[in-house]
Amino acid sequence: MKENNPKEKATQLRLRARRVEAIATNATNKGALVDQLVAAKLRGLADGYRTAQAAAALAAKQFKEGQNLLPGTGGEVWRELFDAARKFAVESHPDKDFPDLGAESPCPLCQQPLAEGAARMLRFEAFIQQEAEKTSQARRTSLFAEYKPFIAHVLTLNLDDVTHGEIEVLDPQLAADAKVFESLLTARQEAIKAAVLSHQWDGIDQPLGSPAARLQALANKLNAEAETLEKASDEKARAALQKQFDELDARVRLNKVKDALVTAVTKLGHQAKLVKCLSAVKTNAISLKASELAEKVVSKELAEALNREFKALGVGTLRVSLQSRADRGKALHKLKLELPQSRSPGDILSEGEQRAVAIGAFLAEVGLSGGKGGIVFDDPVSSLDHRRRERVAKRLVLEAAQRQVIVFTHDIYFLCLLAEEARLAGTAIATQSLTRRPEGFGVADPELPFEGKNASKRIGALKAQHQTIAKLQKDGEEQEHRKQTVDAYFRLRMAWERAVEEVLLREVILRFRKGVETQRLAGVVVEDGDYAQVNAGMTKCSNYAHDKALLGGVAVPDPDELLADIMALETWRAKIDKRGVETAKSRKAAPVAALPAANG
């Protein structure tokens, strides 16, 4: 039914038309960047500059005639040298006006007395100020003001494989022509670039044969077909057909579980008959016995289990007591929290205490069930302070020795606590992430988020991100390239921080661990070079890992520089890790020196 749904088909056609229309617009816009008008404008500027350049060269020749001057005097390189002398004279001769420096002053270039060279400097300045030279420079500036943006144009049509395939199904020749036109755009750009330099403009005025009009016509045709489908759809009839389809689908699904349903209905019928028999049964003795058994065997044991769990979870000041009563032959039992002033738990207990009570009650019930089935927690430590988080982590790891424990959490700190407690208890732990990807939500990923990775895996993630950034730059996606690069340096800073904790300080202190493992000091060595390299890495990351890199127009490094910074961290991490292992081995093998006793 989805395939035959006119509205859905119309929507698909509208989207396809939009994509084709975008290619048509690109063909028009990109073709205008290399059309005859652009070529004529660049040709006029290039010819004007060439003429002015010839006039300037003639003036330079006349300038040198009768003078004993070096070859090249009056040319481009010579003018750059003279301009450099002009700039340097501001510092070297602050009390003079270049080029009128005086015969007694030293030359700004060779720094020897100018003598008769002082007059030559004035003649050089007069030549520079000649009208022919000024005209040549002005026309050169005008030419390159148009030429530089022209050669920077990216003339691709952004014709991806999906859109090309859609066009090819509808009009194979048009799809082929669009591809050819894209290559012709680049070829025309290269031809104009070469002509500006060589002054050979033959063949550049030929039209390229843009497929823009045919692409637009195809888009218009698709939109017309979509409009026809939209008008032809009958929602009322389709709704009735959908209802019939849903009913048939439900029957198919019911047929798969028919036997189980028949068994359940039979059991319910038998249960109803037993209920009718209850009125003929004397319940007093049964109620008394049930109360006794519940208090001794079930409720008392549950109360004790609850009190144990409360103590383990840091709410040991709370206790439960058993209350029992009989109601018309039914034994009713209640476990009640002992609270002052006979107030409800919601009025007295904090949100964190209530969460701890709920977890304790669940674990107590699971423990008394006798089964070994797995249990699942969804964010069990929300609203809990860090001390109770540690207790919950320890308690869940203890429970994991008895059964499978699955924990969903957004709290990276709690995840690290679980991993640390599991390591101390020798309990196996497996971690996964649930992420959103193009294929949908809740996709399982064996890797943790970046914040949960160790230094080595963070470096691996950064290398993968570098590949994406390099492709973005290559594809001309400048804004996304800058955004991703800033994010990469923010994450690189996090990787440096993690490497300092994990490798340089040998996990003596970790942000998620409550204790200090002094035994790991055996492998800790911090040299001046370590401080310098960490400081340099963190400082560079800080230059880009802030909003100012995006909002302030700060130039971000290119992908090669980013990769070099990532590799610098990886090399340093490997070197420091090896040094720490060797240092720890050496220190543990050496005899412990006795400290001198204090006087007195």
Side-chain angles (χ1 to χ4, degrees):
M1 288 186 65
K2 286 184 179 179
E3 291 179 357
N4 296 323
N5 189 329
K7 279 198 171 183
E8 184 173 337
K9 281 189 175 181
T11 300
Q12 294 174 355
L13 287 174
R14 293 282 189 198
L15 292 174
R16 188 174 300 165
R18 193 177 304 166
R19 290 192 289 270
V20 175
E21 191 169 15
I23 302 303
T25 301
N26 280 343
T28 299
N29 294 340
K30 298 302 174 70
L33 296 176
V34 293
D35 63 7
Q36 296 173 351
L37 293 176
V38 173
K41 184 175 183 180
L42 284 170
R43 181 175 183 175
L45 291 170
D47 290 343
Y49 171 58
R50 187 181 183 187
T51 302
Q53 194 177 32
L58 180 60
K61 180 180 179 183
Q62 294 173 351
F63 166 68
K64 289 186 290 184
E65 287 178 356
Q67 302 287 334
N68 186 19
L69 300 178
L70 294 174
T73 303
E76 293 283 346
V77 177
W78 175 84
R79 283 192 293 271
E80 291 179 4
L81 178 64
F82 195 74
D83 285 339
R86 184 193 307 277
K87 294 176 182 177
F88 180 62
V90 175
E91 297 182 15
S92 63
H93 299 75
D95 56 338
K96 303 287 186 179
D97 291 330
F98 186 88
D100 189 11
L101 303 180
E104 71 282 357
S105 299
C107 174
L109 297 177
C110 68
Q111 301 189 12
Q112 298 297 318
L114 281 169
E116 62 180 14
R120 190 180 300 113
M121 295 284 278
L122 294 174
R123 290 200 304 276
F124 287 170
E125 177 68 10
F127 169 72
I128 291 292
Q129 298 300 326
Q130 285 181 3
E131 190 63 30
E133 181 65 21
K134 286 185 177 180
T135 301
S136 174
Q137 292 303 310
R139 292 186 179 180
R140 181 179 185 273
T141 300
S142 299
L143 171 60
F144 278 89
E146 294 290 334
Y147 181 74
K148 289 182 69 176
F150 172 79
I151 64 175
H153 289 320
V154 178
L155 299 179
T156 59
L157 299 181
N158 295 327
L159 180 59
D160 56 74
D161 293 340
V162 173
T163 307
H164 181 266
E166 291 174 342
I167 298 173
E168 192 173 40
V169 170
L170 299 171
D171 190 341
Q173 186 59 49
L174 178 57
D177 291 346
K179 281 288 188 181
V180 171
F181 179 70
E182 191 170 38
S183 63
L184 289 175
L185 289 173
T186 303
R188 173 60 56 84
Q189 183 186 40
E190 293 298 323
I192 294 175
K193 285 165 58 178
V196 168
L197 301 178
S198 66
H199 305 288
Q200 299 296 323
W201 295 87
D202 296 336
I204 293 180
D205 57 348
Q206 297 297 322
L208 295 180
S210 172
R214 293 157 61 200
L215 288 166
Q216 185 60 53
L218 177 59
N220 294 341
K221 178 182 177 182
L222 293 171
N223 280 322
E225 291 176 7
E227 185 176 357
T228 302
L229 286 170
E230 288 165 349
K231 291 179 180 178
S233 71
D234 184 353
E235 293 297 333
K236 185 178 293 185
R238 181 159 296 279
L241 189 60
Q242 183 67 46
K243 183 178 180 181
Q244 182 182 3
F245 173 82
D246 292 342
E247 182 178 349
L248 291 172
D249 183 63
R251 293 191 181 197
V252 171
R253 293 173 182 270
L254 179 62
N255 183 63
K256 295 178 180 178
V257 294
K258 179 180 176 182
D259 294 339
L261 286 174
V262 170
T263 301
V265 170
T266 302
K267 288 182 178 180
L268 289 173
H270 182 65
Q271 182 179 348
K273 294 177 182 178
L274 292 175
V275 170
K276 292 181 179 179
C277 297
L278 290 178
S279 59
V281 178
K282 185 178 180 180
T283 60
N284 186 39
I286 296 176
S287 298
L288 292 176
K289 192 64 176 178
S291 298
E292 179 185 354
L293 290 174
E295 183 173 354
K296 292 182 178 180
V297 179
V298 181
S299 299
K300 185 176 181 180
E301 186 179 357
L302 179 58
E304 292 174 351
L306 278 170
N307 289 330
R308 286 195 304 270
E309 295 294 346
F310 291 168
K311 184 176 181 181
L313 296 173
V315 286
T317 56
L318 301 177
R319 294 188 62 80
V320 295
S321 60
L322 175 65
Q323 295 181 357
S324 304
R325 66 185 179 86
D327 182 12
R328 291 181 294 180
K330 296 180 181 179
L332 304 178
H333 310 281
K334 179 169 67 174
L335 290 172
K336 184 178 181 181
L337 278 173
E338 297 176 353
L339 298 173
Q341 304 173 357
S342 299
R343 302 285 294 278
S344 68
D347 295 336
I348 296 178
L349 301 182
S350 67
E351 187 176 349
E353 288 175 325
Q354 293 180 47
R355 175 59 66 99
V357 168
I359 295 174
F362 174 74
L363 290 173
E365 184 177 352
V366 169
L368 294 177
S369 67
K372 297 296 182 182
I375 53 178
V376 181
F377 292 89
D378 185 9
D379 266 335
V381 294
S382 60
S383 304
L384 296 184
D385 58 31
H386 68 280
R387 293 185 180 88
R388 288 203 177 96
R389 289 184 185 186
E390 294 169 0
R391 288 177 176 268
V392 171
K394 185 184 291 292
R395 180 63 187 86
L396 294 184
V397 169
L398 181 63
E399 190 66 27
Q402 307 298 322
R403 68 186 77 249
Q404 184 183 33
V405 177
I406 299 173
V407 181
F408 291 91
T409 183
H410 296 85
D411 192 333
I412 295 294
Y413 173 74
F414 180 61
L415 171 64
C416 294
L417 284 175
L418 283 172
E420 178 66 10
E421 292 294 344
R423 183 185 68 81
L424 294 174
T427 301
I429 182 171
T431 55
Q432 289 198 51
S433 300
L434 294 179
T435 62
R436 180 178 67 181
R437 292 182 178 172
E439 59 263 33
F441 294 84
V443 180
D445 188 336
E447 292 290 333
L448 286 176
F450 190 86
E451 295 82 356
K453 298 178 184 291
N454 59 23
S456 178
K457 290 189 176 181
R458 288 184 181 187
I459 292 170
L462 283 166
K463 288 182 179 178
Q465 187 175 9
H466 162 263
Q467 296 295 323
T468 301
I469 292 171
K471 186 176 186 303
L472 287 171
Q473 186 195 47
K474 181 179 179 182
D475 294 343
E477 299 288 342
E478 184 61 27
Q479 184 174 0
E480 187 62 22
H481 159 249
R482 285 173 52 80
K483 180 180 178 182
Q484 287 281 348
T485 302
V486 170
D487 178 67
Y489 273 98
F490 178 82
R491 299 173 85 188
L492 181 57
R493 178 189 174 97
M494 295 172 62
W496 269 107
E497 292 174 347
R498 178 63 180 173
V500 169
E501 291 181 74
E502 179 185 299
V503 182
L504 184 61
L505 300 182
R506 306 298 295 174
E507 297 185 3
V508 174
I509 299 175
L510 291 178
R511 279 173 285 187
F512 59 84
R513 193 170 61 206
K514 59 192 176 188
V516 178
E517 296 195 10
T518 56
Q519 291 296 323
R520 292 180 176 270
L521 282 171
V524 175
V525 176
V526 181
E527 299 177 350
D528 291 348
D530 301 328
Y531 162 76
Q533 191 156 358
V534 171
N535 183 59
M538 292 288 288
T539 299
K540 183 167 186 181
C541 292
S542 298
N543 287 338
Y544 305 109
H546 296 91
D547 289 343
K548 68 178 183 180
L550 287 175
L551 303 179
V554 176
V556 299
D558 59 27
D560 290 341
E561 184 175 349
L562 170 61
L563 180 60
D565 291 335
I566 295 170
M567 296 305 298
L569 171 57
E570 183 176 45
T571 302
W572 180 82
R573 191 207 71 82
K575 182 185 74 171
I576 299 304
D577 184 52
K578 180 180 179 182
R579 185 185 70 188
V581 172
E582 294 173 351
T583 301
K585 183 178 179 181
S586 173
R587 286 176 175 172
K588 290 178 181 179
V592 179
L595 295 175
N599 293 330

